[in-house]
Amino acid sequence: MKRILSFALLFAVVFGASAQQTFVEIPCNADKIIKHWNNSNAPHSNEITADEARNKSGHISNVSQTVFYLYKADAEKATGQAVVILPGGGYRNVCIEREGFAIAEYFKSIGVTALVVKYRLPNFGHKEVPLEDAQAGLAYLRKNAKKLGVDSAKVGICGSSAGGHLAAYTSTFTEDAKKPAFTVLFYPVISGTGCMTHHGTFLHLLGKAHPLALREQYSLENQVTATTPPTILLLSDNDGTVPPISSLLYYQALKYHGVKASMHIYPEGGHGWVCRKGFRYEKEWQEALNKWLKLLNKKK
């Protein structure tokens, strides 16, 4: 009997160890890496139990552990501003290297401290999960503002593609006192309407059989108010993945409610061009964003 019990205990230990999820260690130049929470201790779970995986492009799938990657601006360059960065990936994966780390390096170079968030994915309907990860990133920067040389009132948010949807989602669904100070959107998914949307993004966020009313609710042009943060949108005219007209609706809503906004549409570049080598308008978008941030900083 004792032998049977011992074998059962050994089997449980071995099986339990093999059942633990593995998480991808991602090479980067971050000054600090913070493992914030996972499905076992976060407010909500996305119910992903599979191991994380990283493909050849550096995109991470099966994300169920939230990790922050901190890029602290050098003291001699620091503007007092900071930004949470949310990479794209259609809410199916997280394109963290080019749409996360590379953007963070740019922000750091102009004196803006950056926090890249490897956010947990919604896994077909757990829409609250990526939002609480983005909000946790904002809270982290504000809580640590003094030691990071950051003004807690100047913490913004930035996202590209589906990460742009998450940045705008955070900017509109967060309670006013905790909203980001500004929003930077690269070719964001905004609307869930017909030909103006990226359907995969909404399927992963809201679930495969979500009602039309829910899609309208998470079409973020419908959620803009007078307290939505000042926003800059950077797009390309020939984006065939996320039609730029979707962003026009967001810009229109911002202006209707009296929110300061700027929009730049470059003639070409397709989708996913931020920090892409050889993008023809790299200098232009960087200058536009830098000038906008400086102007915003003067008004605070």
Side-chain angles (χ1 to χ4, degrees):
M1 183 67 178
K2 288 182 179 179
R3 182 177 295 178
I4 293 173
L5 288 174
S6 297
F7 179 80
L9 180 61
L10 178 62
F11 178 82
V13 170
V14 172
F15 180 80
S18 65
Q20 290 181 353
Q21 289 171 272
T22 59
F23 300 101
V24 173
E25 297 295 331
I26 311 167
C28 64
N29 295 322
D31 298 299
K32 188 176 182 180
I33 299 174
I34 305 101
K35 294 180 180 179
H36 185 66
W37 58 30
N38 56 40
N39 281 339
S40 66
N41 57 5
H44 295 89
S45 170
N46 62 8
E47 300 182 11
I48 290 176
T49 58
D51 292 343
E52 282 188 357
R54 176 175 178 260
N55 67 16
K56 292 186 291 185
S57 299
H59 302 170
I60 312 300
S61 58
N62 299 326
V63 179
S64 60
Q65 181 187 64
T66 308
V67 181
F68 300 154
Y69 300 83
L70 178 68
Y71 289 73
K72 186 177 182 295
D74 296 333
E76 63 274 13
K77 288 185 177 181
T79 66
Q81 294 169 307
V83 64
V84 169
I85 298 175
L86 306 167
Y91 285 133
R92 183 173 59 88
N93 52 43
V94 180
C95 305
I96 199 165
E97 297 187 24
R98 184 163 52 82
E99 292 192 341
F101 302 150
I103 298 177
E105 296 276 11
Y106 166 72
F107 274 111
K108 181 176 178 176
S109 75
I110 61 171
V112 179
T113 290
L115 188 77
V116 180
V117 178
K118 187 186 76 172
Y119 54 89
R120 292 170 300 141
L121 297 166
N123 190 27
F124 295 107
H126 297 277
K127 56 188 180 298
E128 68 285 345
V129 169
L131 175 63
E132 64 193 20
D133 286 4
Q135 291 171 332
L138 291 169
Y140 176 88
L141 286 175
R142 288 169 177 151
K143 181 180 179 180
N144 295 280
K146 187 173 182 180
K147 67 181 180 182
L148 293 174
V150 166
D151 184 335
S152 61
K154 297 180 179 180
V155 178
I157 201 162
C158 169
S160 48
S161 196
H165 184 275
L166 182 52
Y169 178 16
T170 309
S171 298
T172 53
F173 275 70
T174 302
E175 60 183 279
D176 288 352
K178 296 180 180 180
K179 283 181 178 177
F182 59 85
T183 307
V184 178
L185 302 176
F186 292 97
Y187 40 86
V189 178
I190 294 290
S191 180
T193 304
C195 63
M196 293 185 290
T197 192
H198 181 262
H199 290 286
T201 293
F202 280 85
L203 291 177
H204 282 86
L205 180 66
L206 303 179
K208 294 178 181 178
H210 62 269
L212 179 60
L214 193 62
R215 180 173 285 230
E216 290 177 353
Q217 182 183 356
Y218 287 85
S219 293
L220 300 175
E221 72 274 15
N222 298 327
Q223 297 298 333
V224 173
T225 68
T227 61
T228 301
T231 302
I232 184 170
L233 300 106
L234 301 123
L235 320 163
S236 66
D237 182 63
N238 67 340
D239 189 336
T241 303
V242 180
I245 193 170
S246 176
S247 289
L248 293 174
L249 297 177
Y250 196 72
Y251 178 81
Q252 183 181 39
L254 290 167
K255 300 317 296 178
Y256 176 82
H257 288 281
V259 179
K260 294 185 182 298
S262 179
M263 184 165 59
H264 301 262
I265 306 177
Y266 301 106
E268 59 184 31
H271 191 71
W273 48 257
V274 67
C275 296
R276 178 197 293 160
K277 290 182 179 179
F279 177 54
R280 181 176 295 182
Y281 301 98
E282 179 181 54
K283 182 179 179 181
E284 285 81 355
W285 78 253
Q286 290 182 353
E287 287 181 349
L289 179 54
N290 195 4
K291 288 178 181 178
W292 185 79
L293 289 169
K294 285 181 177 178
L295 183 63
L296 199 65
N297 209 17
K298 288 179 181 179
K299 293 181 179 180
K300 291 290 183 181

